[in-house]
Amino acid sequence: MKFFIDTANIDEIREAHSMGMVDGVTTNPSLIAKEGRDFEDIIKEICQIVDGPISAEVISTDTEGMIKEARHLAKIHDNIVVKIPMIVDGLKATHRLAEEGIKTNVTLAFSPLQALMAAKAGATYISPFIGRLDDLSQEGLLLVEQIVEIYSNYAFDTEIIVASIRNPLHVLESALMGADIATIPFSVLGKLAAHPMTDKGLKAFLDDWEKTKK
Ligand code: E4P
């Protein structure tokens, strides 16, 4: 499974990258806004750090506007993937961009049929937002399971980026289902690495080692 990091924070990206855990990066307008810096400056800096797909999202909601933004973003770096919202105009933009060879990540997907349509339109990636479904008492992971099955049934090339991840179980279950990618917030990445028995065992080893010096 590939790990993307879901942040626009350069320090977090550098730290996760130093662990060897960053196969790519996803950003969105809210994550960019949190940084209080110029959008393109952030994206360019991320591209210097990570050699993998970097998602940058359009703001337009009409097809022509999305395509114009996408062409501009795609020129920033070969690794740019243009994030397109899962609306009808977004499907039209995705279809046209696929013909131009511009990679897309269809975002804000909340149903398996949206994912099927995105794949048919030629999306490079689909991003089901599972945490936001859980927030509504709907099972986010069921959506991942359904998309994995549909894409496998019809051999679509579109890769599944499990998004809106809130906890380690989201990552574990997505990996067991065979999702291609999890895009993980920095705080959750730390939780994946941690185990109390590791800390307890390490402390015991170090305490015993100290005793050998007496
Ligand atoms: C994915 O591409 C999105 O940036 C992200 O996962 C959204 O997560 P949230 O629901 O925690 O905002």
Side-chain angles (χ1 to χ4, degrees):
M1 174 182 243
K2 281 173 269 184
F3 279 6
F4 288 3
I5 187 155
D6 194 29
T7 182
N9 183 280
I10 298 296
D11 292 340
E12 290 182 352
I13 292 168
R14 282 191 198 283
E15 176 67 12
H17 187 251
S18 71
M19 288 186 246
M21 290 299 133
V22 181
D23 300 307
V25 180
T26 51
T27 67
N28 64 41
S30 304
L31 292 172
I32 296 284
K34 264 171 61 180
E35 299 309 307
R37 292 178 52 203
D38 179 73
F39 172 40
E40 289 189 25
D41 286 351
I42 295 176
I43 295 297
K44 283 176 193 161
E45 199 170 343
I46 296 171
C47 290
Q48 298 310 312
I49 302 166
V50 176
D51 185 17
I54 314 294
S55 285
E57 189 158 344
V58 298
I59 302 302
S60 301
T61 53
D62 64 290
T63 303
E64 294 309 321
M66 288 185 212
I67 289 172
K68 193 173 166 208
E69 279 187 64
R71 286 176 181 149
H72 177 74
L73 289 169
K75 282 193 190 114
I76 292 177
H77 196 281
D78 284 350
N79 285 340
I80 293 292
V81 174
V82 182
K83 245 179 164 181
I84 304 279
M86 181 45 237
I87 55 178
V88 170
D89 273 68
L91 289 175
K92 292 179 191 170
T94 299
H95 184 55
R96 296 250 305 272
L97 292 167
E99 286 173 349
E100 290 182 26
I102 293 178
K103 294 193 176 86
T104 53
N105 171 359
V106 173
T107 187
L108 290 165
F110 292 92
S111 86
L113 292 173
Q114 286 181 320
L116 176 55
M117 293 179 90
K120 286 178 70 63
T124 318
Y125 301 97
I126 181 74
S127 288
F129 275 39
I130 66 169
R132 294 192 193 189
L133 280 173
D134 288 356
D135 292 345
L136 299 178
S137 305
Q138 293 183 24
E139 212 185 321
L141 283 164
L142 177 62
L143 172 59
V144 177
E145 192 180 331
Q146 290 171 329
I147 300 173
V148 168
E149 188 172 342
I150 291 169
Y151 282 11
S152 156
N153 284 349
Y154 298 102
F156 283 115
D157 291 333
T158 306
E159 289 191 60
I160 303 167
I161 305 179
V162 181
S164 188
I165 280 176
R166 303 263 198 267
N167 56 59
L169 267 182
H170 278 158
V171 181
L172 173 63
E173 294 295 333
S174 299
L176 290 169
M177 287 170 193
D180 304 284
I181 301 147
T183 190
I184 307 172
F186 185 74
S187 58
V188 176
L189 197 62
K191 289 180 188 166
L192 299 188
H195 198 289
M197 290 301 287
T198 305
D199 296 341
K200 190 177 169 191
L202 179 60
K203 182 175 182 317
F205 285 155
L206 295 178
D207 287 349
D208 288 342
W209 188 251
E210 280 303 310
K211 289 176 202 158
T212 66
K213 295 180 186 164
K214 288 173 189 162

